[in-house]
């Protein structure tokens, strides 16, 4: 029955979705905004505290860029609160400073106030994105102090300074906002009274103490107390790992959570005395704790980069990678990296100087972020004619190669790197050779076989000894990524040249590389092609090379021997299988593991004669020879006699005869 009732109530108006949406907008006040207002108000943001301002997302109509819209309705406010809201709008539009939230526009309508700012999130919302909860936001605290110091220098008192007055941008900058009580020549008692009515309502949070309105207290004393509250929140919530409005600082115990360097200043902030011309916030910013903090040092320098001398910039960027080790990860990725990407566009050598820090941060990004923010720059800089830039990229390749996609490597980066093999600068050629270790596993097969292999072989003629040495080592390192035939051919050429290189470390590297890659070669190739080269190095004039040659030769001998034994075992196994199926003679089965190759070497008659000599002394040798033709009719009897004479007549034991046979071929 709801539908007929609704129809009766709105008999004269069509119940369309557009009309319903317009009705909703009028109830919240958005319907009063003129069409000329350049911003669209979006969804309301849930905040974990009570406030007479509502925060909404928004967009700029002209380009769709994101904004924040603060909405304050007049309906439930008294005259003081309305006046405070109007003051907040005016101050936000008037104040201009990098640490003050930037206001785009504002409008007052019958229902309330609209203030449009850059996109921000209240610090106490706890929804700060990629934030290191256990890392105190020292740079954020410093930014807030800079904003407050600016107000004090202009004779203004904020009145609501503290965690609730801090708004955080998407990239993590702390901006000062909430200017409802901001004014000149503020009276402490009136500020304390209005603070409870116009400030953020936080259940269980400390209230500004009444002693701040006593005689002798500075007019900015309420801001100083708010500074102590902000410091207690930043360090205390980080220690507890629980950011947001749910963390309630205990001002009586907060000093324990502060760094030792700041503890002595905390009581003066909680209960300030006469200033006598001092600027407590400016003095706090100059405290050694802040001046020596890595985050503050890095961000402060980057913020004033445009006024620094080339020498100052060069010195800063040289030490920046080490400084970054003391900064939070979120600060590096959200704030430092954008500044560095902008700095590398400076003329001169800036790109080469900034690149190490960019790569140090970039490798810690998520894969998608790296491909979006850093990879295009890397591909662009590889084509730079600046050798310093290319050298930085080549030496850092191992850390970022996994973050680059195969297409970019094959189509954009490696074609530019190929020029490094023929560069007139030795360090560039050497770095290019070393980069192959990282490139080859990601390159297409046709590129490796058609270009890389030829380049490696050609590098063995390079005039720089260190480059030839690295070419030898590189050929061994990449061999597992090459097709077997290509690896065999490449190593044979490179190692052959390495054995004869005039540079001793190159010869030594060739020996060690051969040992590490001996599995690439067959047993015959090792014995007839590679080991002779090792033997030549046994008499190398360099003692270190000669010692390495002896060690490598011994290891290769063991390797070849093992391969030979496995080959023999395989052959014996094959003959045993044949004998089991009726293909072998009983005598062949009786001679043991070495019988097959012994008979193939000296003939079955010799074996028969030896077996006769190993029998009883009375047994006639002629009888043993008589049976030989059955096994090997082609073996002449005088050969058997010669072998018997060579053995020194009838053997006294079977083992003696076997040992003589082992020595006969020699």
């Amino acid at each position: 029955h709801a539908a007929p009732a609704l129809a009766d109530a709105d008999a004269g108006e069509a119940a369309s979705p557009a009309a319903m949406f317009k009705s909703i907008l009028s109830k919240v006040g958005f319907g009063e905004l003129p069409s000329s207002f350049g911003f669209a108000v979006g969804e309301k943001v849930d905040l974990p505290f009570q406030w007479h301002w509502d925060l909404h997302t928004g967009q700029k109509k002209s380009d769709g860029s994101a904004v924040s819209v603060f909405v304050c309705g007049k309906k439930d406010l008294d005259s003081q609160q309305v006046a405070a809201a109007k003051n907040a709008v005016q101050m936000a539009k008037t104040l201009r400073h990098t640490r003050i939230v930037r206001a785009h526009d504002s409008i007052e309508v019958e229902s309330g106030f609209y203030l449009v700012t850059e996109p921000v999130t209240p610090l106490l919302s706890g929804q700060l994105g990629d934030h290191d909860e256990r890392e105190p936001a020292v740079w954020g605290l410093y930014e807030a102090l800079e904003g407050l110091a600016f107000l004090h220098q202009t004779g203004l008192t904020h009145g609501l300074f503290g965690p609730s007055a801090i708004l955080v941008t998407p990239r993590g900058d702390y901006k000062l906002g909430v200017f409802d009580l901001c004014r000149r020549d503020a009276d402490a008692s009136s500020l304390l009274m209005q603070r409870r009515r116009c400030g953020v309502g936080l259940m269980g949070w400390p209230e500004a103490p009444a002693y701040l309105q006593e005689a002798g207290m500075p007019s900015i004393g309420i801001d100083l107390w708010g500074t102590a509250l902000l410091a207690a929140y930043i360090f205390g919530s980080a220690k507890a790992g629980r950011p947001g409005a749910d963390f309630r600082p205990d001002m009586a115990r907060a000093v324990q959570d502060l760094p030792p360097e700041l503890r002595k200043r905390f009581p003066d902030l909680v209960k300030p005395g006469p200033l006598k011309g001092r600027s407590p916030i400016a003095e706090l910013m100059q405290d050694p704790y802040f001046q020596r903090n890595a985050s503050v040092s890095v961000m402060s320098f980057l913020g004033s980069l445009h006024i620094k001398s080339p020498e100052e910039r060069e010195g800063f960027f040289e030490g920046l990678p080490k400084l970054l080790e003391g900064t939070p990860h979120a600060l590096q990725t959200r704030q430092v990296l954008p500044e560095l990407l902008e700095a590398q566009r400076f003329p001169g050598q800036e790109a080469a100087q900034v690149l190490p820090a960019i790569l140090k941060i970039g490798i810690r990004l998520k894969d998608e972020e790296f491909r979006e923010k850093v990879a295009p720059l890397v591909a662009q800089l590889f084509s730079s004619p600046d050798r310093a830039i290319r050298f930085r990229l080549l030496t850092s390749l191992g850390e970022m190669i996994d973050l680059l996609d195969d297409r970019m490597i094959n189509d954009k980066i490696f074609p530019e790197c190929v020029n490094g093999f023929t560069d007139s600068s030795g360090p560039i050629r050497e770095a290019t050779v070393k980069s192959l270790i990282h490139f080859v596993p990601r390159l297409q097969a046709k590129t490796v076989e058609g270009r890389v292999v030829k380049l490696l072989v050609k590098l063995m003629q390079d005039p720089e000894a260190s480059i030839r040495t690295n070419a030898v080592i590189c050929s061994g390192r990449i061999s597992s990524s090459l097709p077997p035939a290509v690896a065999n051919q490449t190593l044979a050429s490179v190692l052959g040249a390495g054995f004869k290189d005039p540079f001793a470390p190159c010869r030594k590297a060739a020996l060690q590389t051969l040992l590490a890659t001996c599995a690439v070669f067959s047993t015959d190739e090792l014995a007839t092609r590679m080991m002779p080269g090792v033997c030549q190095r046994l008499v190398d004039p360099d003692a270190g090379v000669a010692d390495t040659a002896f060690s490598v030769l011994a290891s290769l001998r063991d390797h070849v021997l093992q391969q030979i034994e496995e080959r023999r075992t395989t052959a014996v196994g094959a003959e045993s299988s044949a004998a089991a199926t009726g293909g072998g003679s009983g005598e062949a089965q009786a001679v043991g593991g070495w019988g097959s190759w012994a008979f193939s070497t000296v003939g079955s008659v010799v074996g028969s004669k030896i077996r006769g000599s190993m029998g009883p002394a009375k047994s006639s040798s002629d009888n043993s020879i008589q049976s030989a033709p059955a096994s090997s009719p082609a073996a002449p009897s005088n050969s058997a006699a010669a072998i018997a004479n060579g053995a020194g007549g009838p053997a006294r034991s079977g083992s003696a005869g076997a040992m003589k046979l082992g020595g006969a071929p020699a």
Side-chain angles (χ1 to χ4, degrees), residues 361-382:
I361 298 174
I363 59 177
R364 301 183 63 184
L365 294 173
K366 297 178 181 178
D367 292 355
E368 299 79 9
E369 289 182 295
F370 183 90
R371 295 189 182 101
E372 176 187 353
K373 299 177 181 179
V374 181
L377 174 65
V378 170
Q380 173 191 341
L381 293 180
F382 260 115

Side-chain angles (χ1 to χ4, degrees), residues 626-644:
Q626 293 283 333
S627 62
S631 298
S632 182
S637 58
N638 58 349
S639 298
I643 293 294

Side-chain angles (χ1 to χ4, degrees), residues 22-73:
K22 184 177 181 180
S23 175
I24 294 173
L25 289 179
S26 64
K27 290 180 181 179
V28 298
F30 301 164
E32 296 181 321
L33 294 176
S35 59
S36 60
F37 191 60
F39 300 89
V41 183
E43 297 181 354
K44 181 180 178 181
V45 178
D46 292 331
L47 299 177
F49 44 77
Q50 297 295 323
W51 198 20
H52 57 272
W53 286 93
D54 291 331
L55 176 59
H56 292 257
T57 60
Q59 284 186 334
K60 189 175 182 180
K61 292 179 180 178
S62 60
D63 59 10
S65 58
V67 296
S68 288
V69 183
F70 292 86
V71 182
C72 180

Side-chain angles (χ1 to χ4, degrees), residues 12 110 115 118 175 223 239 380 429 431 521 552 613 625:
E110 184 179 352
L115 175 62
E118 61 184 312
K175 298 291 186 79
D223 287 348
K239 185 176 182 180
Q380 173 191 341
R429 296 200 306 275
F521 301 99
V552 170
S613 67
I625 297 176

